[in-house]
Amino acid sequence: MGKSTTIFKYNNRMEILILLFLFIVFIACILILPALVILIRAKRLNAQLTIEQAFSMKIRKTASDNVLKGLAIVQENNFKISLDELETLQLAGGDPYKVMEAMINYSHIKSLNFQTLLAMNLSGLDFKDAIEKNLNGQEIKFEKQAFGRFLIDYDVIYHNRIGVSQQDILKEEIEKKIYQRLLNFFMYWEGDNLFNINNYIKTNVLNNEFWDRILCVDMKSQELEINFNKKTGYNKS
């Protein structure tokens, strides 16, 4: 009787251990199998993940194709963008894949970076419309424009800035500001040396600070030629 009781208890313990083992395996499958599926999907989309990253993505529910395809672009091009940043963009309602595609397509534009593209994406802006229309430079010309004793020939090419907070500034508004700035300058200028006038305008009147901080556009090139206005009756000699 005693021996049978011992065998019975032993069998019960074994059954409990087996059930406990099966339960652990079941829980592990529930937790790990989805992460393994994410790893397989990532591999198919050419993205590299660790099991820990896949597990975290499962918990945060960020394992979308857009995140994985975006990660593949990051890894292929060695961009300094983390998986966490792509997941944050996804959770905020953005599209990591579109943003990373834009990083590739517009890599030649130095003023564009991940944060700018991210903000544009979250704001619902279309990259093609918001970026490409500003790639072609705008041109403003003054031909024989009179400013008192002087005639100005002026040709400038500029670009509107790209970004969520940047609005296209009307060409007419920029032209008015340039004209007014030159008008104010010539009202108080007393010298007659054309070379000095030209140099002063480029370095102090229509300089980079004027374009950057006042007009808020990017000036690419400008040409300036100054001559005396014979109609005013001014004769240097």
Side-chain angles (χ1 to χ4, degrees), residues 163-180:
V164 176
S165 62
Q166 305 298 333
Q167 297 181 349
D168 290 347
I169 303 174
L170 293 178
K171 180 178 177 180
E172 292 77 10
E173 291 297 319
I174 293 179
E175 188 170 343
K176 287 180 182 178
K177 289 182 179 180
I178 294 173
Y179 177 85
Q180 189 61 49

Side-chain angles (χ1 to χ4, degrees), residues 18-108:
I18 291 172
L19 289 174
L20 181 60
F21 174 76
L22 291 175
F23 177 75
I24 293 173
V25 171
F26 176 72
I27 295 298
C29 288
I30 291 177
L31 296 176
I32 297 176
L33 187 59
L36 292 176
V37 172
I38 292 173
L39 284 176
I40 294 172
R41 288 176 50 220
K43 187 70 174 178
R44 180 174 57 84
L45 296 172
N46 299 318
Q48 302 297 321
L49 287 176
T50 65
I51 187 66
E52 291 84 2
Q53 289 174 322
F55 184 71
S56 296
M57 293 181 76
K58 174 60 181 177
I59 294 176
R60 292 193 292 267
K61 298 180 180 180
T62 57
S64 69
D65 280 0
N66 284 339
V67 171
L68 296 175
K69 289 190 291 186
L71 179 62
I73 294 176
V74 169
Q75 293 173 341
E76 181 181 355
N77 295 275
N78 294 318
F79 290 140
K80 294 181 179 180
I81 299 168
S82 68
L83 176 59
D84 287 342
E85 289 176 301
L86 297 179
E87 290 181 279
T88 299
L89 174 57
Q90 170 85 10
L91 292 171
D95 189 328
Y97 179 54
K98 280 188 178 180
V99 171
M100 297 319 304
E101 274 195 322
M103 285 280 289
I104 295 294
N105 295 335
Y106 304 110
S107 60
H108 58 288

